[in-house]
Amino acid sequence: PATASLAHPARLHAAFRVPRADTALYIGTPWYVRDLTVTITGPGRRRDTIPAAADLPGHMLGLRLPADAWQADRIDLDATTVSTAAPPYLLPAEQLAHIGWRNWSYAAFFGLFIALALVSAAFALIRRSRTAAFYAEMMAAEAGLLIPWLGIVRPPPEFSQPLHAVLQSIVYAALTLFTLELFDESIRLPRIATIALWALVASNI
């Protein structure tokens, strides 16, 4: 489709063939895509429709193509998408395994951000520090941004994408407040600099 958005999801269709491969082939999709099905036509009167499931590494929505998919006359892919920026991918087994292995870093950073948020929140309560409170808020929002990569849940894009925008906005605002509080303890920024900084944050939000 030419355009797609959260308010106006678009139907995605593609027709293709695949080469003969020594490894299994998969169709994987980003978070923008849902309702994915693949229809294999040929040879002869064969016509098989395979629905996708969120059981690939990281709970990625996708499916495994049959071993004889290379013999098909054509393969039709149908789905719904809210963004044309990232279409579905044809993935060999090795690349899919690499994607699954790469996700360990997201879990590590999630744990780090949660730990920093808890320590900073405790410090903010004990010392009544606004600076530490803003830092804890920023770290908690950063941890929230990583939840979809943990493979625990796969919310629909109508929910996950606006929530992602909200959390990212919290990160921008909390980082700005943390910086201003930090500077305020040692140096008073000019008013024009503060206004310019908040204008930049607002434009990003």
Side-chain angles (χ1 to χ4, degrees):
T3 60
S5 67
L6 287 173
H8 301 285
R11 295 297 303 173
L12 176 66
H13 176 80
F16 59 98
R17 298 183 67 189
V18 296
R20 186 168 188 172
D22 296 330
T23 184
L25 295 177
Y26 295 81
I27 301 292
T29 69
W31 288 85
Y32 313 116
V33 179
R34 63 179 184 175
D35 303 327
L36 173 68
T37 60
V38 165
T39 301
I40 299 175
T41 304
R45 302 180 63 180
R46 176 187 182 183
R47 185 177 176 85
D48 297 331
T49 299
I50 307 172
D55 55 2
L56 297 186
H59 279 218
M60 182 191 304
L61 181 67
L63 55 91
R64 177 175 177 171
L65 293 175
D68 61 349
W70 62 274
Q71 296 179 331
D73 297 329
R74 61 181 283 160
I75 301 174
D76 292 278
L77 181 150
D78 290 283
T80 302
T81 183
V82 299
S83 173
T84 58
Y89 302 101
L90 178 65
L91 303 168
E94 295 84 359
Q95 190 173 359
L96 187 65
H98 175 72
I99 292 173
W101 172 84
R102 187 184 59 189
N103 283 355
W104 74 267
S105 61
Y106 297 121
F109 277 114
F110 176 81
L112 174 64
F113 290 145
I114 286 292
L116 289 173
L118 293 175
V119 171
S120 300
F123 185 81
L125 289 173
I126 295 172
R127 298 295 300 271
R128 299 183 182 276
S129 170
R130 285 163 53 90
T131 305
F134 290 137
Y135 188 79
E137 182 182 2
M138 180 175 60
M139 290 297 100
E142 288 281 14
L145 289 171
L146 290 174
I147 289 177
W149 296 100
L150 301 180
I152 301 172
V153 294
R154 185 187 169 90
E158 288 83 358
F159 176 77
S160 65
Q161 299 308 305
L163 184 58
H164 185 279
V166 169
L167 290 174
Q168 189 66 65
S169 298
I170 292 174
V171 170
Y172 287 140
L175 176 58
T176 305
L177 291 167
F178 167 75
T179 305
L180 292 175
E181 286 287 329
L182 202 61
F183 271 112
D184 194 48
E185 295 177 358
S186 57
I187 183 172
R188 176 71 67 176
L189 292 177
R191 181 176 176 81
I192 186 64
T194 303
I195 294 175
L197 179 60
W198 276 114
L200 181 62
V201 170
S203 66
N204 277 279
I205 290 176

